[in-house]
Amino acid sequence: LTSARVTKAFDIKSEPADVRDRYGRNKFGQSLLLTRRLVEAGVPIVQAAMGIVQTWDTHVDNWGRMKNTLLPQLDQGLLALMDDLTASGLIQDTMVIVMGEFGRTPKISTLPGQSIPGRDHWPNVYSALFAGAGIRGGQVIGESDSIAAYPLSRSWDPADVCTTIFEALGVPDHVELLDPLGRPNRLLNGETISPLYT
């Protein structure tokens, strides 16, 4: 964190104006530009937060917020990031994951006191995008029922996502972490999402 390369990476104002514009002059876009710069500086894990805690919490005006702000900014910044990682060859060694911690209800609802409907929290089905680091692109893994309420095919959980990431980082599957009482906890406690690679 104190290396000159990382310090320099945080200076996104040194990027040409057209590059900053290509990522989008918003928090999403500039976070993804910073992500690219940190990857180029050799930082092994970067988490780009796409807004404050409630940014994607679309209980109210789900469709307006998604169509007019959230998805256009994410699409623009992510396209620029993927283009740059591909052009530099870094995509071969960089796993890109876009996901949240849950999905949205298949049922539309209106909160008390609100007039524009939205969608609430839904942990049973949600999507994630994976790219780079040997992942075979252009495929859809898994299937939900007709209203995106429950999985029809094998589902993957957060432990599987973490195991897939740790395996890509080269963490051995036998690694254990000890809790404050000295009890062992396996770090890789899920299954690798192998269809990503096949």
Side-chain angles (χ1 to χ4, degrees), residues 35 39 82 85 89-96 131-135:
T35 295
V39 168
M82 295 303 294
L85 291 175
L90 285 170
I91 195 64
Q92 300 303 318
D93 299 316
T94 306
M95 180 181 288
V96 177
I135 291 169

Side-chain angles (χ1 to χ4, degrees), residues 88-118:
S88 68
L90 285 170
I91 195 64
Q92 300 303 318
D93 299 316
T94 306
M95 180 181 288
V96 177
I97 303 172
V98 180
M99 67 180 292
E101 72 275 30
F102 50 74
R104 308 308 291 182
T105 51
K107 180 181 175 185
I108 299 166
S109 61
T110 304
L111 292 178
Q114 298 292 330
S115 60
I116 304 174

Side-chain angles (χ1 to χ4, degrees), residues 101-163:
E101 72 275 30
F102 50 74
R104 308 308 291 182
T105 51
K107 180 181 175 185
I108 299 166
S109 61
T110 304
L111 292 178
Q114 298 292 330
S115 60
I116 304 174
R119 295 172 69 194
D120 298 323
H121 301 172
W122 190 254
N124 300 302
V125 170
Y126 56 98
S127 302
L129 180 149
F130 290 76
I135 291 169
R136 195 183 116 223
Q139 61 178 333
V140 174
I141 299 169
E143 179 184 7
S144 73
D145 61 16
S146 63
I147 61 169
Y150 298 98
L152 288 179
S153 61
R154 191 236 194 266
S155 60
W156 304 94
D157 64 28
D160 300 325
V161 173
C162 290
T163 296

